[in-house]
Structure formats: structure tokens, C-alpha cells
Amino acid sequence: MASSTLRPEDQDRLDEQDVARRLLDSSAKLSYDPVTEVDWDTPLDKDFHGASPEWSTLYGTAYWNELTDAQRKELTRQEAASVASTGIWFEMILQQMVLRDIYTTDATDPRFQWALTEIADECRHSIMFARGAAKLGAPAYRPRRAVVELGRAFKTLAFGEAAYAAILVAEEVLDVMQRDWMRDERVAPFVRTINNIHVVEESRHMKFARDETRKRLRHAGPLRRQLNAFVIAVASYFIVTSMVNRKVYENAGLDTRRALAEAGSNEHHKSLMRSSCSGLMEFLASARLLTRPALLLYKRANLI
């Protein structure tokens, strides 16, 4: 009965704190330490893929059909390492945005404590991805310099729904592909463990990002919604198009020019990306963030 006398904003705050407490409880019960959970000591077995071959950017192309089994496995290992490296890059952006968002908030609030828990998770994930990429025999792939500088600006300037929705985009896309990889016995066992850890722990982060996006948009006017829809779409475009570095083909021993041409016209991979993002696009539509300019960028990135 007492709750019925609360102002709507006070009830919203209590509801948000309750969500944060549940996320904290879930984290306490179901979290992993990659240092001990992942088999780092067993040498890399090159009989395994680094990712499900169907997720390769060349799968289904004429070039893929010409590759030997060993070349295909090496390519998927390099591609998986590139995706991990892009994950590190964006997780570092994510951590800074969340820290900036909670900088002056009440440290006794469960929402503050959950935000720090999420940052701690992301720190472990970044180290896990870095070690995984190294074990796959890959270099430290990075986005293009221009994209790195755009990321620097985004982490400094993005706030509210723009920050949290962009976080959600990165996490949702990784989540779908990693769910396939972690179940695939063709994928190296240590990579499957890494993917399982990330999927389990990121499910909490995605819930938080969705809730924060909805909350920040609650009183947003049309101009703010239009502007942030475009900012989110731009961030999404550069996140997705940076996932597989062009150098993976050279490092897998392939003809880079031909590989880029065939990957760029690979309808199988484009279809896979679109289907993996269907849930994300439904959420963005429900939040009225699929404006016409945003849709053009999502289409260009093959997300819709």
C-alpha cells in the first residue's frame, strides 16, 4: 500500500534499484574467472576452427570453395581473433562511458554498484579476448585510424541513450554469433569456453543497456530522439564494419584483394548478419530509434 503514495519518479527509481539488485545477485551466483576457467596451457590444435565456418566472411563464395581445409581453419582463427580485438576496442569505450555516467551518482545505490560490476566484467573480458587472440596466433588487430579517432570522440561525447544503445548494439551482435560458436564442436575448445563465458555474463549487460536506453528516452523530445537515433546508427555502422580486419586475409595466407572483393559481395554473410540482428532491430523500432537516416546506415552495414 505504501508504494501507491509514491510519486511516479520515486517508484521508477525503486524499480530500477530492484533490477540492479537482481543483476548483482545474478553476478554473484553466475560469473566466471577466465584465468582458471579457460584452458590456456594446452597448445593450439590447428585441426579446429576459430569460429563456426558458416560465420566466415568468405563462406559460400567461389574463393572459399577453392581453399584447403587447413586454409579455411586458419582463416576462421584469424577472423575470430579480429572479432575479439574489435570487442576489446569497444569494451574499452564502454567502460569509459559507464564510468563517466556514474561519476557523481550515489555510491550506496545498487545501480552504481551494478555499473562497477559491469565494468569489472568488461575488464576480465578484454583480458580474456586478448589472451584468446594471442593463442589463436593472431596479431593485435585494430580498426582503421579514422575509426579509432571517431571512437575516441564517441566515448567522450556520447551520453544517455546514445551511449547505452550503442553498447547494446555491440553486445547483441557478438552475442548471436558467439552462441553459435560455443555450441560448435568444430571450434577450438578454449574458444568455445571464452564464448560461453561472454554470452552468460553479457546477458546481464544487455538487460541493463536495454533498461537504461528506455529510461533515458522516457522524456526525450522528437529532436533529441532523431539526433540520437542517427548517432547510434553511425556507431553501429563502424562497430560492425570493423569486426573483421582486412589484414586477416593476408595473415591467413590468402589473396587480400580477391578476398575483400568476394567478402564484400557475399550474400550468405550479409543474410546471416541481418538475421542475427532481428531482435536488436525490433528493440530499436520499439524505442522509436529506427528513423529514416538511421535505417540507411543499418542497411548499408547489412544489419537490416
Side-chain angles (χ1 to χ4, degrees), residues 72-204:
R72 292 174 179 175
K73 288 172 178 173
E74 181 59 33
L75 175 60
T76 63
R77 289 195 292 269
Q78 294 295 324
E79 288 177 321
S82 179
V83 169
S85 294
T86 303
I88 294 169
W89 166 66
F90 196 76
E91 283 181 344
M92 292 177 72
I93 293 174
L94 180 161
Q95 291 168 47
Q96 293 176 73
M97 290 193 298
V98 174
L99 274 173
R100 180 161 48 83
D101 190 51
I102 65 170
Y103 179 57
T104 58
T105 56
D106 181 357
T108 66
D109 192 317
R111 293 173 297 182
F112 175 91
Q113 294 163 29
W114 163 252
L116 287 184
T117 301
E118 177 168 347
I119 291 167
D121 287 346
E122 300 297 5
C123 285
R124 292 195 309 276
H125 295 168
S126 294
I127 295 169
M128 176 176 72
F129 284 160
R131 293 185 68 178
K135 185 166 179 175
L136 285 168
Y141 290 111
R142 292 185 182 88
R144 300 188 313 275
R145 178 62 183 270
V147 178
V148 170
E149 295 308 319
L150 284 170
R152 195 186 305 278
F154 182 73
K155 71 180 178 58
T156 304
L157 301 173
F159 66 93
E161 61 272 15
Y164 284 101
I167 288 170
L168 181 61
V169 169
E171 291 175 341
E172 287 265 10
V173 173
L174 274 175
D175 180 74
V176 174
M177 65 175 66
Q178 288 183 325
R179 285 180 185 273
D180 282 351
W181 302 358
M182 75 184 194
R183 301 185 185 105
D184 192 337
E185 294 185 356
R186 297 169 297 176
V187 174
F190 82 95
V191 175
R192 295 175 63 194
T193 303
I194 287 172
N195 292 328
N196 182 67
I197 290 171
H198 197 247
V199 164
V200 169
E201 298 186 347
E202 287 294 332
S203 64
R204 295 188 287 265

Side-chain angles (χ1 to χ4, degrees), residues 36-302:
T36 57
E37 294 287 341
V38 180
D39 179 6
W40 301 114
D41 297 327
T42 302
L44 175 66
D45 186 342
K46 293 191 175 182
D47 285 335
F48 286 99
H49 286 275
S52 295
E54 291 79 8
W55 276 94
S56 173
T57 54
L58 290 182
Y59 183 86
T61 64
Y63 200 2
W64 177 268
N65 293 334
E66 294 173 20
L67 299 180
T68 65
D69 187 55
Q71 286 176 315
R72 292 174 179 175
K73 288 172 178 173
E74 181 59 33
L75 175 60
T76 63
R77 289 195 292 269
Q78 294 295 324
E79 288 177 321
S82 179
V83 169
S85 294
T86 303
I88 294 169
W89 166 66
F90 196 76
E91 283 181 344
M92 292 177 72
I93 293 174
L94 180 161
Q95 291 168 47
Q96 293 176 73
M97 290 193 298
V98 174
L99 274 173
R100 180 161 48 83
D101 190 51
I102 65 170
Y103 179 57
T104 58
T105 56
D106 181 357
T108 66
D109 192 317
R111 293 173 297 182
F112 175 91
Q113 294 163 29
W114 163 252
L116 287 184
T117 301
E118 177 168 347
I119 291 167
D121 287 346
E122 300 297 5
C123 285
R124 292 195 309 276
H125 295 168
S126 294
I127 295 169
M128 176 176 72
F129 284 160
R131 293 185 68 178
K135 185 166 179 175
L136 285 168
Y141 290 111
R142 292 185 182 88
R144 300 188 313 275
R145 178 62 183 270
V147 178
V148 170
E149 295 308 319
L150 284 170
R152 195 186 305 278
F154 182 73
K155 71 180 178 58
T156 304
L157 301 173
F159 66 93
E161 61 272 15
Y164 284 101
I167 288 170
L168 181 61
V169 169
E171 291 175 341
E172 287 265 10
V173 173
L174 274 175
D175 180 74
V176 174
M177 65 175 66
Q178 288 183 325
R179 285 180 185 273
D180 282 351
W181 302 358
M182 75 184 194
R183 301 185 185 105
D184 192 337
E185 294 185 356
R186 297 169 297 176
V187 174
F190 82 95
V191 175
R192 295 175 63 194
T193 303
I194 287 172
N195 292 328
N196 182 67
I197 290 171
H198 197 247
V199 164
V200 169
E201 298 186 347
E202 287 294 332
S203 64
R204 295 188 287 265
H205 301 182
M206 289 189 291
K207 175 172 177 49
F208 184 64
R210 287 191 197 96
D211 289 349
E212 287 297 307
T213 300
R214 291 191 190 96
K215 181 180 78 173
R216 306 306 172 96
L217 283 169
R218 198 172 290 152
H219 303 296
L223 180 61
R224 174 175 162 184
R225 198 178 292 269
Q226 286 277 336
L227 175 62
N228 281 314
F230 183 71
V231 170
I232 294 160
V234 170
S236 304
Y237 176 83
F238 285 112
I239 291 166
V240 172
T241 57
S242 296
M243 280 190 168
V244 177
N245 192 292
R246 62 181 294 150
K247 292 182 180 178
V248 301
Y249 306 113
E250 178 185 349
N251 292 330
L254 307 186
D255 179 335
T256 299
R257 182 175 296 182
R258 182 181 176 192
L260 285 170
E262 297 208 23
S265 60
N266 186 352
E267 292 302 324
H268 167 80
H269 193 260
K270 292 177 183 179
S271 175
L272 203 58
M273 291 298 294
R274 285 192 294 269
S275 63
S276 72
C277 292
S278 60
L280 170 64
M281 292 301 134
E282 286 176 11
F283 171 79
L284 293 176
S286 71
R288 288 185 289 155
L289 291 171
L290 284 186
T291 60
R292 184 173 297 176
L295 277 169
L296 291 174
L297 281 168
Y298 290 127
K299 288 178 181 177
R300 188 172 179 182
N302 300 304

